[in-house]
Amino acid sequence: MIETIIIPTSGQGLYEFTDAAEDFLARSDIETGLLTLLVRHTSASLLVQENADPDVVRDLKTFFARLVPPATDPSMAYLVHRLEGPDDMPAHIKSALTQVSLSIPVLDGRMMLGRWQGLYLFEHRDRPHRREIVLCASA
């Protein structure tokens, strides 16, 4: 079973969609297998991350902003790709450092995530977007 979900974003940050993936699995009738997820964009990524303490999400966003600042920062003067704004090429770099797909084992119809783990879309652009995530459940 394959389905595409849309995650609306309001700018850079992490957007949890664990519940949407669980709902998809419940409709899939897959008891044992694999959930594969793919974000269909080059300036966003996917993460499995802690979903209990909001400080984790805040710290990750801050870390990546320091690691890869906007193209207007003097340290990023080497960037050539600037057609889509000062956040675009840094967004591509952040996406390359993370991942655009995930594979999660499924047992008894549920993802085998740890107690404090959740699924996140990591938006790397400043302005709002509607991000597509493809979910595929297979036995």
Side-chain angles (χ1 to χ4, degrees), residues 44-104:
S45 55
L46 299 175
L47 294 178
V48 173
Q49 196 48 254
E50 179 178 328
N51 63 359
D53 184 348
D55 287 345
V56 172
V57 168
R58 184 174 24 260
D59 288 347
L60 280 169
K61 183 179 172 188
T62 302
F63 171 76
F64 273 90
R66 290 180 68 191
L67 183 66
V68 187
T72 53
D73 187 284
S75 68
M76 302 299 274
Y78 65 91
L79 294 178
V80 176
H81 176 76
R82 296 172 182 258
L83 292 176
E84 297 178 53
D87 67 326
D88 187 47
M89 190 59 215
H92 292 301
I93 294 169
K94 291 173 187 176
S95 182
L97 292 172
T98 52
Q99 57 230 352
V100 296
S101 67
L102 298 171
S103 296
I104 311 291

Side-chain angles (χ1 to χ4, degrees), residues 9 11-13 15 39-46 81 84-85 87-100 121-132:
T9 69
Q12 289 192 40
Y15 299 84
V39 62
R40 298 183 66 202
H41 305 277
T42 59
S43 54
S45 55
L46 299 175
H81 176 76
E84 297 178 53
D87 67 326
D88 187 47
M89 190 59 215
H92 292 301
I93 294 169
K94 291 173 187 176
S95 182
L97 292 172
T98 52
Q99 57 230 352
V100 296
L121 168 73
F122 198 174
E123 174 63 70
H124 302 302
R125 297 296 305 269
D126 290 335
R127 64 181 169 82
H129 284 83
R130 290 176 46 81
R131 300 301 194 175
E132 296 179 11

